[in-house]
Amino acid sequence: MDPITFQTGEFTSRLVFTDSPATLLEGFDLTVFDTNTIKLFSPSASHYVWQAGETHKIWKSVEELLAVCLEKGLGRDAVLGAVGGGVVTDMAAFAASLYMRGIGLVLVPTTLLAMVDAATGGKTGVDFGGFKNLVGTFYPAREIRIWPGAVASLPEREYRSGLAEVIKHGMLGEQSLFRLLQNQRDAVLARDGQVTSAFIRQAVQYKVGVVVRDLRESGERAFLNLGHTFAHALEAERGYDGSWSHGEAVAWGLDRALALGVSLGITEPIWYQEVHDLLNSYQYRLKAPGASPKAILAAMKNDKKKKAGTVRFVLQRRLGETLMTQVDDESVLKILEDGV
Ligand SMILES: NC(=O)c1ccc[n+]([C@@H]2O[C@H](COP(=O)([O-])OP(=O)(O)OC[C@H]3O[C@@H](n4cnc5c(N)ncnc54)[C@H](O)[C@@H]3O)[C@@H](O)[C@H]2O)c1
């Protein structure tokens, strides 16, 4: 497939899909990995390795990379390559946006989540002061190289976590992605090469389309938060103890968002049932026993993205028809009580 060139604000990016890892790392002056993704490749060229994991998504890691850029004498025309999941791509992009006020950046996402979400869209950053992604910049990569075969080595939980975001893209976008996820479930879960390649392409292209239309989240891009108000609040209520991966919480949140829509007379019940059945068929947990509905509601109100103290929800009428609205606490609480 030919590369896709797209524009986000003043930035031009190229999206390249490849079936072979052979040329993935070509053309970089410095390549950054984490302690897991370095094992997938045998880089001979100049590289730097971060400790893997969200706990290392902090300013200190970015500062370390900036120091390496300086030590290696990288100039304004240098190209930084980033190979990894969303933690590596977000932090490397942040560093690339800062070093000499911006150097070349190529992202090679290796988790499903980074392919379909983190690596496209231009958001960079680190966690700060106890908040996820509080500090960062907008800096779209000049190129994003996607090798769907990288998902073969992902731990099952990471794969399923990314899959929840793919399901969300399928709900928001064209019919074909959602139908593929419904009709080819076994092949999707078995990570069949052709099927993963097909759904990853569709999900990435959907995300790129949204970002091109709305880089700074003033409109349509906010729809990508479908299910996330619920998901973030559940993760916060659980104290980020790892009992729910982000994607698992998103799957629960998608189910709760559509249930909320039904209770308000917005979502067609038949659409909710289809989504509920799909999430069940992928064996996502749709109840969160032990969680406190009141504490989840309080966490929603604490979310840094809320505007002027109100919580706005992304809801859907049916497949591909999405809207945003404020909802009263009582209605939300009722839906939370049904979801624990
Ligand atoms: N910038 C954005 O728009 C955006 C969007 C969504 C998420 N994010 C960010 O992405 C991060 C989560 O990304 P993630 O889920 O990819 O987490 P991650 O980067 O921590 O990767 C998950 C784990 O998989 C390992 N890994 C990566 N590729 C592998 C492979 N091919 N085989 C085996 N193991 C592999 C990693 O080392 C890590 O241990 C969060 O910090 C989140 O804030 C950013």
Side-chain angles (χ1 to χ4, degrees):
M1 193 168 132
D2 289 336
I4 299 168
T5 301
F6 62 98
Q7 196 75 24
T8 35
E10 75 258 40
F11 297 90
T12 304
S13 305
R14 254 163 61 100
L15 180 63
V16 182
F17 290 96
T18 173
D19 290 331
S20 149
T23 56
L24 269 182
L25 308 188
E26 277 180 3
F28 303 155
D29 296 292
L30 176 66
T31 312
V32 57
F33 298 88
D34 72 18
T35 41
N36 292 321
T37 60
I38 183 86
K39 295 181 198 150
L40 305 172
F41 300 90
S42 330
S44 49
S46 187
H47 63 271
Y48 185 70
V49 183
W50 274 317
Q51 285 297 319
E54 183 76 29
T55 52
H56 299 282
K57 195 180 176 187
I58 50 176
W59 169 249
K60 185 169 163 283
S61 305
V62 173
E63 193 180 351
E64 280 165 15
L65 180 62
L66 292 172
V68 175
C69 291
L70 180 63
E71 191 185 296
K72 304 239 179 229
L74 263 56
R76 208 177 290 277
D77 58 351
V79 177
L80 179 69
V83 184
V87 168
V88 169
T89 56
D90 275 13
M91 285 204 298
F94 190 24
S97 75
L98 298 175
Y99 187 73
M100 295 194 169
R101 299 197 184 87
I103 56 170
L105 171 70
V106 176
L107 299 179
V108 183
T110 58
T111 62
L112 182 54
L113 182 108
M115 291 179 198
V116 303
D117 198 357
T120 44
K123 288 186 183 177
T124 86
V126 292
D127 303 337
F128 192 83
F131 290 95
K132 269 184 66 96
N133 303 321
L134 189 79
V135 173
T137 53
F138 276 104
Y139 196 65
R142 79 164 55 153
E143 192 165 298
I144 302 134
R145 298 179 186 167
I146 296 190
W147 170 46
V151 303
S153 56
L154 278 181
E156 183 65 14
R157 204 160 182 219
E158 299 294 347
Y159 181 69
R160 289 171 53 79
S161 191
L163 210 47
E165 299 287 354
V166 176
I167 292 175
K168 181 200 71 184
H169 286 6
M171 291 166 65
L172 291 168
E174 305 287 324
Q175 289 247 356
S176 59
L177 177 56
F178 191 80
R179 299 297 170 219
L180 182 156
L181 294 165
Q182 270 182 326
N183 299 333
Q184 312 239 37
R185 188 204 57 180
D186 292 352
V188 170
L189 287 175
R191 307 184 206 180
D192 170 277
Q194 273 189 348
V195 173
T196 45
S197 196
F199 79 71
I200 288 171
R201 277 165 205 247
Q202 289 189 43
V204 174
Q205 282 169 18
Y206 168 71
K207 169 88 195 267
V208 165
V210 173
V211 168
V212 166
R213 291 188 290 271
D214 181 18
L215 175 65
R216 285 177 194 272
E217 209 165 301
S218 48
E220 185 190 1
R221 189 164 179 178
F223 291 168
L224 293 170
N225 290 325
L226 179 63
H228 282 60
T229 304
F230 284 98
H232 287 147
L234 175 63
E235 288 180 277
E237 192 272 350
R238 297 282 82 189
Y240 299 97
D241 62 0
S243 57
W244 289 75
S245 74
H246 178 62
E248 287 164 348
V250 167
W252 176 84
L254 291 172
D255 189 68
R256 287 303 83 205
L258 264 58
L260 178 61
V262 171
S263 77
L264 299 170
I266 293 172
T267 305
E268 289 178 356
I270 194 167
W271 172 231
Y272 170 51
Q273 197 58 48
E274 253 193 285
V275 171
H276 184 78
D277 291 348
L278 181 81
L279 294 168
N280 257 329
S281 79
Y282 277 86
Q283 295 184 339
Y284 286 108
R285 287 176 283 165
L286 302 181
K287 295 273 185 194
S292 150
K294 283 198 175 127
I296 298 175
L297 183 63
M300 282 175 177
K301 296 185 155 222
N302 250 332
D303 194 299
K304 73 174 156 64
K305 282 191 177 164
K306 72 180 191 289
K307 279 188 185 157
T310 61
V311 185
R312 285 162 64 80
F313 288 85
V314 182
L315 301 178
Q316 286 203 297
R317 290 199 179 84
R318 58 183 76 83
L319 200 168
E321 270 194 44
T322 311
L323 65 145
M324 225 167 146
T325 184
Q326 250 171 267
V327 182
D328 64 281
D329 288 0
E330 213 173 302
S331 304
V332 178
L333 202 55
K334 168 82 184 56
I335 290 305
L336 290 170
E337 281 161 1
D338 292 344
V340 297

